[in-house]
Amino acid sequence: MCECVTFLDKTFVKYITSEEIDRAVARVAAEIESEYRDDDPILLITLNGAVFFAVDLIKRLDFKCRITCVKVSSYAGTESTGNIKALIGLNEDVKGKRVLILEDIVDTGHTYSHLHRMLSEAGAKDVRIATMTMKPDAYKGDLPVHYVCLNIPNRFVIGHGLDYDGYGRNLNDIYQLK
Ligand code: IMP
Ligand code: MG
């Protein structure tokens, strides 16, 4: 039996279960907890996709922090365009603060380097990233990707926040393009 879902013209097959995601998030949460416990950091959620991962992660973090959101867009369909649009900007003062970006996926890394530059220019003391998934073979950046829950191959995925033209975010599991 194919555990498949179809949105628009594409079919996706189940790839990573929500239990596996949970275990990976718990491991990363423990690392983040020990790194940031005494630092009163800002956790920066990138809308829309990272919301699901961010809630999973933040519920496991028991330290003083602020949470804020930005919205950027680089994707059209299943392709990263490298052309980053800021749809909702930063409205938190990050000067002198440690900032941890929360992402659903790091693909080419264009979004991450864009955010890193923006936060550094705004005076952040330190900028790191925690991501639910990463495609190491697609990554073109120089910056270290500090906290990765799941490394995945360079294939398009949806679910657990990740979308195909807006669809599939509410799937609990992650699905891969068939
Ligand atoms: P990057 O700038 O190429 O690293 O792409 C980052 C953004 O592209 C992510 O925040 C996602 O919104 C989107 N993205 C990249 N790969 C995928 C994928 O496989 N499925 C869904 N969205 C993706
Ligand atoms: Mg995203």
Side-chain angles (χ1 to χ4, degrees):
M1 193 189 71
C2 174
E3 291 197 77
C4 294
V5 293
T6 299
F7 295 108
L8 305 173
D9 56 333
K10 300 210 186 312
T11 297
F12 300 83
V13 60
K14 193 184 277 191
Y15 175 51
I16 303 171
T17 65
S18 62
E19 290 76 18
E20 287 173 78
I21 300 168
D22 266 359
R23 278 196 294 276
V25 171
R27 172 179 52 74
V28 163
E31 291 174 37
I32 290 171
E33 177 94 35
S34 67
E35 174 67 30
Y36 288 92
R37 201 182 344 249
D38 304 316
D39 295 345
D40 187 9
I42 291 173
L43 307 182
L44 184 80
I45 304 171
T46 59
L47 301 173
N48 297 319
V51 166
F52 298 74
F53 163 59
V55 171
D56 291 347
L57 180 79
I58 292 168
K59 282 201 285 192
R60 294 177 180 275
L61 301 178
D62 185 23
F63 56 70
K64 185 177 156 201
C65 62
R66 286 206 180 101
I67 298 164
T68 191
C69 299
V70 291
K71 183 167 182 174
V72 293
S73 174
S74 70
Y75 250 63
T78 60
E79 295 296 327
S80 179
T81 63
N83 177 6
I84 317 284
K85 279 185 283 187
L87 305 175
I88 299 175
L90 185 68
N91 64 8
E92 184 83 25
D93 185 7
V94 300
K95 199 165 275 153
K97 305 285 284 182
R98 297 194 78 184
V99 181
L100 181 64
I101 301 166
L102 304 183
E103 261 291 16
D104 49 1
I105 191 160
V106 175
D107 182 31
T108 62
H110 289 134
T111 307
Y112 172 34
S113 58
H114 171 86
L115 291 173
H116 194 285
R117 195 175 334 110
M118 178 189 81
L119 292 161
S120 302
E121 285 171 7
K125 180 167 96 182
D126 162 77
V127 180
R128 291 190 179 196
I129 189 166
T131 185
M132 176 174 76
T133 56
M134 166 150 188
K135 297 176 180 168
D137 295 338
Y139 190 62
K140 298 195 186 95
D142 308 316
L143 298 165
V145 179
H146 306 84
Y147 305 102
V148 178
C149 297
L150 300 156
N151 279 305
I152 62 170
N154 190 10
R155 297 191 56 185
F156 194 77
V157 287
I158 59 168
H160 218 93
L162 293 157
D163 71 299
Y164 170 50
D165 272 355
Y167 293 106
R169 294 195 197 276
N170 58 327
L171 297 164
N172 284 325
D173 306 302
I174 292 176
Y175 290 70
Q176 191 178 55
L177 190 60
K178 199 173 169 182

